[in-house]
């Protein structure tokens, strides 16, 4: 799990930085303040999740990979794609119905972190 998820996290950190710069410099005059804020929210959670994946991979390297940690990483990655991706598309297209799937991504991220917490607590009790 370590090298793969660390690389995925690092790649997504690069993407979040690039998208953040694009939003700040390329979309500033193209989007309304509301949709620029929506885009920035997507970037912020994209970066949080990218860094989270990198931390999880370090945790897995230190403590050993468990099925819970692996599932937590998968949920966070999936949630990041759904949450941030839907916000990016929403802000660029103004297709408001897309906002209905954004919470699914948020729930996946939360569930992923709950898996990580549980894996850490199980490891501590062993």
């Amino acid at each position: 799990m370590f090298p793969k998820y660390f690389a995925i996290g690092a790649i997504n950190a690069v993407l979040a930085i690039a998208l953040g710069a694009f939003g700040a410099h390329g979309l500033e005059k193209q989007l309304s303040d509301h949709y620029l804020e929506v885009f920035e929210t997507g970037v912020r959670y994209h970066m949080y999740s990218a860094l989270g994946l990198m931390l999880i991979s370090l945790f897995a390297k230190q403590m050993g990979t468990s099925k819970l940690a692996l599932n937590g990483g998968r949920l966070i990655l999936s949630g990041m794609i759904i949450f941030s991706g839907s916000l990016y598309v929403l802000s660029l297209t103004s297709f408001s119905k897309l906002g209905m799937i954004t919470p699914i991504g948020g729930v996946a991220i939360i569930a992923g972190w709950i898996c990580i917490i549980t894996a850490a607590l199980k490891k501590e009790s062993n």
Side-chain angles (χ1 to χ4, degrees):
M1 177 181 184
F2 169 70
K4 179 180 177 182
Y5 275 82
F6 195 87
I8 290 169
I11 289 165
N12 276 284
V14 168
L15 288 173
I17 291 168
L19 287 166
F22 173 66
H25 302 291
L27 297 177
E28 185 176 42
K29 293 182 175 116
Q30 307 298 320
L31 299 179
S32 68
D33 288 343
H34 170 71
Y35 283 119
L36 193 56
E37 187 176 318
V38 168
F39 191 88
E40 289 171 354
T41 299
V43 169
R44 186 170 46 255
Y45 282 88
H46 192 164
M47 180 58 83
Y48 293 158
S49 296
L51 293 173
L53 287 174
M54 294 169 72
L55 287 172
I56 292 165
S57 71
L58 292 173
F59 165 77
K61 183 178 183 194
Q62 185 72 18
M63 302 294 185
T65 302
S66 71
K67 189 167 181 108
L68 267 173
L70 184 59
N71 286 337
R74 288 175 177 160
L75 281 165
I76 291 169
L77 178 59
S78 299
M80 173 182 61
I81 292 166
I82 295 167
F83 184 87
S84 293
S86 66
L87 291 180
Y88 296 147
V89 174
L90 170 65
S91 63
L92 295 171
T93 66
S94 303
F95 183 62
S96 61
K97 293 198 188 298
L98 194 59
M100 293 188 307
I101 68 161
T102 305
I104 295 169
V107 169
I109 293 169
I110 292 167
W113 281 111
I114 291 170
C115 286
I116 298 302
I117 292 164
T118 305
L121 293 175
K122 277 187 167 189
K123 190 66 177 177
E124 185 177 280
S125 68
N126 288 339

